[in-house]
Amino acid sequence: MRHFMFTIGVLLLAGASVLGQNANQQSAPKEIKSFDLDALDKSADPCNDFYQFACGNWLRNNPIPEDQASWGRFNELHERNQTILRNIVEKASADNGSRSSNDQKIGDYYFSCMDETGIEAKGTAPLKPMLDQIDALNDKAQLPVLIGRLHNRGVPALFAFSSEPDAKQSRMEIAGTDQGGISLPDRDYYLKTDAKSVEQRNQYEQHVANMFKLLGESPDKAAANAKTVVKLETELAKSSMDRIDRRDPNKVYHKMTTAQLQELSPVFTWKEYFTSLNGPTFDSLDVSVPDFVKGMNQLVATASLDDIKTYLRWHAVHSAAPMLPKAFVDENFAFYGKVLTGAKQLRPRWKRCVQYTDGDLGEALGQAYVAEVFPPESKAATLKMVHELEAALKTDITQLSWMTEDTKKQALDKLSHIDNKIGYPDKWRDYSTLTIVRGDALGNSFRANEFEFRRQINKIGHPVDRSEWEMTPPTVNAYYQPYENNINFPAGILQPPFYDAKVDNSVNFGAIGAVIGHELTHGFDDQGAQFDADGNLRDWWTPKDEAQFKEKEQCFVNEYDSFVAVDDVHVRGKLTLGENTADNGGLRIAHMALLDVLATTPQKPVEGFTDDQRFFIGWGQIWCQNVRPEMSRLLALNNEHSPGKYRVNGVVSNIPEFQKAFGCKADAAMIRKPACRVW
Ligand SMILES: [Zn+2]
């Protein structure tokens, strides 16, 4: 568990399930266009609404599919990748007796997940051993051992526990415990009193009751138990830290001894919890949110044993839902898909099963994916661009007018130490200790969770392995890791429309170039800038530069606070600050890098647009997206990325080169006054 990982995007899929149409229909992966003239709305004035100009026709021609909560360029590529992965797992699932160990695992995992008849026939029997363990709890003193068992199987009850790099000594993995134990997307869902929040909370309670009914409880009992779950989770929410405070790395770092942790929660015997994990021993750890531990203690002290068991039973069935019979899958979708994201239909089963295979066996599946789509030339081309972007950021920092020489020296040192990880890991994960049994869908999922949980806790006390990846190779995303000071680009995003060997530099620099610039800039946004060249949480700024930096960042907070996401919900300027800083800096340095490249390799005008125009359209078009109102609300409240429209208009309106490229007049909407700029 790393607290921070700064990504380029978000791909929230609509809920966790739907039983499938076209279950056995193979299809060829769809080609995706990088620079799409047909996507443009030429009737729109780029100086008035550039997003509409770059994406207008795309938005009109790409309605959101029924099984999606949003539909954008990220989704198009994700779907393409899923089709490729499907072909791989379907081939591997044919048990011909001579499969490699990895093929046996991904093939049988997928086969078991797809075996709806088998899952239906078993009913809830595969979950029974866990429910029996919960039922057998007859004294709160046994709770730590039971929680240890549940965590081991991936059931996130009461709190979170894992390994993490020590923020102030980031080469070492330490133990860490954090807030957790709730099932809505954020603490605020339990605490806010506006009509929409109250409505969603009631719908959640109804959903919990429906799940209990599916476990065989009477309607009255189920309704009472659902109330209990909401009550207990609300208590945990009350002592949880809010999302904006959690962005501050110092606020979620409290290293203490295990004895000090025990003092925070007298009724929960941590020693027994740790012993039950059967992992490395340790005597200190990071307690991210001490107030949460106190709140959790209070809950355990005051709630009845029966109420705690009810709460644990909910978490068990909620975690298992995707691999249980259809009634559970449908009910899970009815709330987490329909209510929370607005999706109309469950995604076909094969898509969900591909997603779970990727989630649980990602580096086994990823090897086959990489072999198919990511030749060495793609890796070399990306690396070349990364170096061009790094050179541009170096020039940018050197030329900054607001930063003093002392801080520049530190910033340049940090930049020079950023490691680049491209495509896939150098060393693939070894899954040999994970048993995948054909026909045991839920068992496979639990064993995979256990494999991952144990892999994480076994790191405690050891050096951080910086070669490890936190995303699987087919993922359409990228990230900067502040504890390791490295940037990571999975093969899944190094494809059209982000990177396309067939198009000109202008388009590629506007798309993947700006994505690379975005990740580099994360090392210097309001969070990343608190970590030094070696990934330690350490202030390397002079007080004067830090004050300037904060003032400049405030300009972004104000700008994005003014944008409306949906209805009366605004973009949250403080929540999205790091991402907005990265978008603005990233696009600016990508443009600088493009100019450097064009100086030595000029291009002819293409399709009637100048180099600069194609660059900005390239950026605009990776963010074309239609989003359902429910999903817009969910994202605005919880996600650190701004909506696509503002990732385009919010950024280009700060950039004079954009205004020049399209000849915008001084009073045009795409000329922001004052323009915000940090990097
Ligand atoms: Zn980002």
Side-chain angles (χ1 to χ4, degrees):
M1 165 178 66
R2 271 116 171 100
H3 289 295
F4 302 109
M5 173 169 90
F6 308 134
T7 63
I8 180 73
V10 58
L11 195 103
L12 282 189
L13 299 167
S17 3
V18 165
L19 298 181
Q21 308 90 343
N22 56 17
N24 290 310
Q25 175 193 318
Q26 292 264 355
S27 54
K30 188 172 160 269
E31 294 303 322
I32 299 172
K33 245 184 148 172
S34 300
F35 185 90
D36 191 354
L37 285 172
D38 295 334
L40 297 176
D41 174 0
K42 288 191 176 160
S43 72
D45 176 359
C47 295
N48 182 50
D49 182 347
F50 184 62
Y51 181 69
Q52 178 63 26
F53 175 78
C55 292
N57 268 3
W58 190 96
L59 297 174
R60 217 178 358 255
N61 296 330
N62 287 276
I64 306 170
E66 295 280 288
D67 67 345
Q68 305 284 338
S70 66
W71 190 251
R73 308 308 305 280
F74 279 73
N75 302 80
E76 284 182 320
L77 178 52
H78 174 76
E79 292 281 306
R80 178 182 151 79
N81 288 345
Q82 279 219 313
T83 308
I84 295 167
L85 296 177
R86 180 193 192 181
N87 291 340
I88 294 167
V89 288
E90 290 202 343
K91 234 178 270 165
S93 72
D95 184 2
N96 61 14
S98 63
R99 295 179 294 177
S100 69
S101 165
N102 274 349
D103 277 355
Q104 180 273 322
K105 291 187 204 311
I106 60 174
D108 287 348
Y109 185 101
Y110 179 77
F111 176 89
S112 310
C113 178
M114 290 299 290
D115 178 20
E116 295 177 72
T117 315
I119 290 172
E120 218 56 43
K122 285 184 181 173
T124 55
L127 184 60
K128 191 159 182 303
M130 186 179 281
L131 295 175
D132 287 348
Q133 279 183 354
I134 294 169
D135 199 45
L137 184 75
N138 51 33
D139 184 340
K140 284 186 196 173
Q142 301 163 340
L143 187 61
V145 172
L146 178 58
I147 296 291
R149 287 199 182 123
L150 293 172
H151 283 182
N152 219 357
R153 301 237 117 184
V155 178
L158 271 190
F159 58 88
F161 180 81
S162 190
S163 58
E164 65 187 48
D166 184 338
K168 297 200 171 171
Q169 203 193 325
S170 67
R171 296 264 167 185
M172 287 305 290
E173 294 273 359
I174 56 170
T177 182
D178 201 348
Q179 66 191 42
I182 60 176
S183 314
L184 284 167
D186 188 74
R187 75 190 272 280
D188 288 356
Y189 283 73
Y190 297 87
L191 309 178
K192 283 167 73 172
T193 54
D194 62 282
K196 189 75 194 170
S197 301
V198 172
E199 185 196 351
Q200 287 191 332
R201 206 148 57 229
N202 290 337
Q203 288 167 308
Y204 172 60
E205 189 177 308
Q206 186 58 53
H207 164 63
V208 178
N210 290 344
M211 293 291 270
F212 279 133
K213 275 190 262 178
L214 291 175
L215 279 182
E217 293 183 0
S218 72
D220 286 354
K221 183 96 197 310
N225 282 342
K227 271 203 187 340
T228 298
V229 169
V230 175
K231 187 178 80 187
L232 265 59
E233 291 194 346
T234 303
E235 289 305 310
L236 293 174
K238 277 185 193 159
S239 48
S240 297
M241 189 184 288
D242 84 33
R243 227 168 244 287
I244 288 175
D245 277 342
R246 287 184 63 84
R247 293 190 70 252
D248 182 341
N250 282 298
K251 284 189 180 161
V252 289
Y253 180 77
H254 302 92
K255 204 169 166 186
M256 60 179 76
T257 62
T258 48
Q260 286 169 315
L261 169 65
Q262 190 54 56
E263 279 168 30
L264 291 175
S265 56
V267 301
F268 187 88
T269 313
W270 286 92
K271 192 161 173 260
E272 292 187 14
Y273 170 77
F274 297 142
T275 305
S276 79
L277 300 182
N278 197 23
T281 55
F282 51 89
D283 49 25
S284 68
L285 79 170
D286 174 26
V287 178
S288 299
V289 187
D291 280 347
F292 178 82
V293 175
K294 289 184 202 162
M296 190 270 284
N297 180 70
Q298 181 68 13
L299 176 76
V300 174
T302 54
S304 73
L305 188 66
D306 275 349
D307 283 0
I308 291 173
K309 286 159 77 166
T310 297
Y311 164 84
L312 296 177
R313 219 161 50 243
W314 153 250
H315 272 271
V317 68
H318 176 55
S319 296
M323 298 297 176
L324 287 176
K326 182 176 190 304
F328 290 87
V329 172
D330 286 350
E331 175 56 36
N332 190 48
F333 173 73
F335 180 72
Y336 285 97
K338 275 190 187 154
V339 171
L340 286 187
T341 77
K344 309 285 183 226
Q345 263 183 26
L346 192 56
R347 283 176 295 139
R349 187 151 188 115
W350 74 263
K351 289 190 191 175
R352 286 173 280 133
C353 289
V354 165
Q355 181 201 332
Y356 303 141
T357 313
D358 179 44
D360 282 343
L361 288 155
E363 291 198 12
L365 179 55
Q367 290 182 46
Y369 171 81
V370 164
E372 203 150 309
V373 306
F374 199 64
E377 307 85 76
S378 292
K379 189 163 178 160
T382 309
L383 193 59
K384 182 166 171 283
M385 280 183 93
V386 169
H387 291 147
E388 286 157 354
L389 265 294
E390 285 172 342
L393 182 52
K394 187 176 174 185
T395 306
D396 177 67
I397 292 170
T398 308
Q399 292 173 351
L400 280 184
S401 59
W402 57 270
M403 193 186 265
T404 60
E405 290 307 315
D406 284 350
T407 307
K408 278 185 187 177
K409 221 175 118 203
Q410 298 274 341
L412 291 171
D413 180 53
K414 179 166 184 181
L415 173 62
S416 72
H417 282 89
I418 293 180
D419 283 329
N420 308 313
K421 286 156 68 184
I422 293 166
Y424 53 90
D426 292 334
K427 186 181 78 204
W428 293 101
R429 190 162 301 158
D430 174 7
Y431 291 100
S432 56
T433 59
L434 169 57
T435 306
I436 298 297
V437 179
R438 196 170 177 93
D440 185 13
L442 183 60
N444 289 339
S445 169
F446 279 152
R447 280 187 295 275
N449 289 345
E450 187 164 352
F451 173 83
E452 178 58 16
F453 184 77
R454 305 216 62 75
R455 200 178 71 78
Q456 294 296 346
I457 64 168
N458 283 331
K459 294 177 184 176
I460 295 168
H462 295 284
V464 172
D465 177 2
R466 291 187 169 193
S467 70
E468 200 186 295
W469 284 64
E470 290 166 67
M471 285 177 182
T472 68
T475 306
V476 186
N477 211 334
Y479 67 97
Y480 170 77
Q481 177 46 267
Y483 303 106
E484 301 174 2
N485 196 24
N486 57 30
I487 48 178
N488 302 259
F489 302 95
I493 198 172
L494 300 171
Q495 316 283 333
F498 296 92
Y499 170 73
D500 187 345
K502 295 192 296 294
V503 303
D504 51 295
N505 275 321
S506 294
V507 173
N508 276 331
F509 274 80
I512 197 68
V515 171
I516 296 167
H518 174 107
E519 298 308 338
L520 285 171
T521 308
H522 267 316
F524 304 91
D525 71 16
D526 67 310
Q527 291 174 291
Q530 298 186 50
F531 293 83
D532 68 14
D534 202 38
N536 290 313
L537 181 55
R538 176 178 75 82
D539 189 356
W540 45 270
W541 293 68
T542 65
K544 180 169 170 280
D545 288 326
E546 197 168 340
Q548 286 269 333
F549 178 66
K550 285 192 171 147
E551 196 185 307
K552 290 182 175 299
E553 292 274 282
Q554 187 60 38
C555 183
F556 286 137
V557 175
N558 298 342
E559 175 186 348
Y560 287 81
D561 265 341
S562 74
F563 297 141
V564 174
V566 59
D567 301 335
D568 58 340
V569 181
H570 278 239
V571 175
R572 301 172 77 186
K574 278 189 180 153
L575 181 65
T576 55
L577 177 57
E579 294 302 330
N580 299 331
T581 305
D583 279 348
N584 278 271
L587 190 63
R588 198 182 286 275
I589 64 167
H591 186 255
M592 290 171 64
L594 173 65
L595 294 185
D596 289 344
V597 169
L598 292 180
T600 54
T601 46
Q603 300 173 167
K604 292 203 179 88
V606 191
E607 292 162 333
F609 291 103
T610 66
D611 292 335
D612 280 2
Q613 288 173 338
R614 287 174 68 78
F615 169 82
F616 288 110
I617 294 170
W619 169 251
Q621 289 195 339
I622 62 174
W623 299 112
C624 304
Q625 58 179 209
N626 284 309
V627 186
R628 295 190 193 277
E630 294 86 347
M631 187 62 158
S632 291
R633 174 178 293 268
L634 179 80
L635 293 176
L637 295 175
N638 303 301
N639 195 267
E640 303 204 344
H641 302 88
S642 296
K645 178 179 177 179
Y646 304 120
R647 300 191 75 161
V648 177
N649 288 354
V651 175
V652 297
S653 59
N654 285 318
I655 298 184
E657 289 80 1
F658 165 80
Q659 295 142 8
K660 218 181 294 163
F662 287 91
C664 302
K665 297 210 170 69
D667 61 348
M670 291 295 103
I671 298 190
R672 174 164 291 279
K673 293 185 208 83
C676 302
R677 176 175 177 185
V678 178
W679 300 103

